[in-house]
Amino acid sequence: MAEKRTAAPAGKASSAPVVGREHEPTIFEFSSPGRSSASFRTTGIPEWGPADLVPAGFLREEPIGLTEVSERDLVAHVTRLTHRQYSVDLGAYPLGSCTMKYNPKLCDDAASLPGLTSVHPSTPEHLSQGWLELLWSLADTLCRITGMSAATLQPPAGAAGELTGLLLMRAYHESRGETRRKVIIPDSAHGTNPASVTLGGYETVTVPSDHRGLVDLEALKDRLDAEVAGIMLTNPNTLGLFEEDIAQIAAAVHQAGGLLYYDGANLNAILGVTRPGDMGFDIVHMNLHKTFAVPHGGGGPGAGPVAVSERLAAFLPGPMPERLADGSFTWKTPAHSIGRTHSWHGNALALARAWSYILANGGDGLRRVAEGAVLNANWLRHQLRGAYDIPYDRPNMHEFVASTSTLKKEKGLRALDVGKRLLEEGFHAPTVYFPLIVDEALMIEPTETESPQTVAALADALIRIAADPEGESQKAPRTTPVGRVDEARAARTLLPTWDAVAAESVGSPGA
């Protein structure tokens, strides 16, 4: 870490790529007085000093300690930092549940077209017909994919879609004069589900999984009563297993007056094969970054559209794009709309990117996406038999869950160790310790974008790790810029500032 904010008389030099375990200086160490990475055209307008514009009482005694670096040094520094990150463009990223798949560059090009990027969202509808047609077409296609009647594109992420769906559920019940306070969630559910239920003003009721890893149907029936507003379910579930009793589940929930909410996190597994609407679901949120092609990770921007059955369409957020009889488009807010859930019309360019992915693949291509994802995951599960525990060793969908439970007892190998060690093999770690119902869980999703050779290499790497001598994997990762850190301490005593040297002096964790 830097010892000084600004080195004098000149900043630290660095030219050779600083990668691996080499130390990358902070931006402050490159700083040198008088340097700048920005310049302005010559205007002929006289320069004004701060004292000419700001009352003396508001002036700082010393200039604020900003970095002064050239554009060259700034670009090199940021580029070196980006080379230290793992990404979907760098290699396989089998992060189960998160679906970190490669995004075709075609979608980047489509979303960067000037005709899309140069339109302000407040542009009158008669001057933005192209954008309205794009949004209407996307919403219409998402309804066809999910088997729903209408969709909003406003929610900016999957979790925002969940909250929107729960608010729709509440509006529906209230319109019928019913006050229901409980939402049922399987014990294998995504962590955002109970959080969204609480945020939506409901109580979470958990239903256990049975010996198959599926919703225990009899236990579900025991929990259904007049206070249940609905059930949140993903199918396939977080074990990568298809809920075989979904028709009976839907019938039981509907008979109790509840609604079925489909968590679309795993929609990529059933594209073009089956639809949530055909299973009996009433509300579907989609994670466009998982199912189609929108940047994932790093904070987005994302998109979490929500599609609903006909009886819920009148409650959707507005305004929504609508096609008129003459083929033109307009904005319209549903009669009993719950209101906006995001400014303007959602993350529009993320929506454009997803639309380009759908157009490029077509209906048959989307089905092949699902088939490829399921095939890769099942092939990998078969390869890992004998090396790892497979708690639910039956045909899975786009992902599956392995476990190091036996390996931990035999030689102390934990799921966390496998994840860290896999980084040394050139792969991103799978999701570990989720779902919570599996001990030492490794949730693996190879996705359809990886070639058979890459999936085979991933299998070989995982098998090598399982065969590592006792204690070897616990040393990993040894080849990455940052070694194994104390994540709990990093979260509890986070020091994100440049002068973290103070933390090092008291034993800051990390390499």
Side-chain angles (χ1 to χ4, degrees), residues 49-118:
D52 299 324
L53 302 170
V54 180
F58 295 100
L59 287 173
R60 296 176 61 93
E61 295 182 358
E62 296 180 358
I64 191 171
L66 298 176
T67 56
E68 297 177 80
V69 295
S70 67
E71 176 182 322
R72 177 71 187 89
D73 286 345
L74 176 63
V75 170
H77 173 66
V78 174
T79 302
R80 285 193 296 270
L81 289 178
T82 61
H83 287 181
R84 293 177 164 220
Q85 304 297 318
Y86 202 91
S87 71
V88 291
D89 283 350
L90 190 62
Y93 210 127
L95 197 66
S97 181
C98 295
T99 315
M100 300 294 288
K101 65 182 184 181
Y102 175 76
N103 284 194
K105 298 310 170 196
L106 167 69
C107 303
D108 294 344
D109 288 343
S112 62
L113 290 173
L116 297 177
T117 60
S118 61

Side-chain angles (χ1 to χ4, degrees), residues 204-222:
T204 297
V205 177
T206 303
V207 61
S209 302
D210 61 17
H211 66 282
R212 302 171 297 169
L214 308 178
V215 169
D216 187 322
L217 185 57
E218 295 306 314
L220 171 64
K221 291 178 179 177
D222 289 341

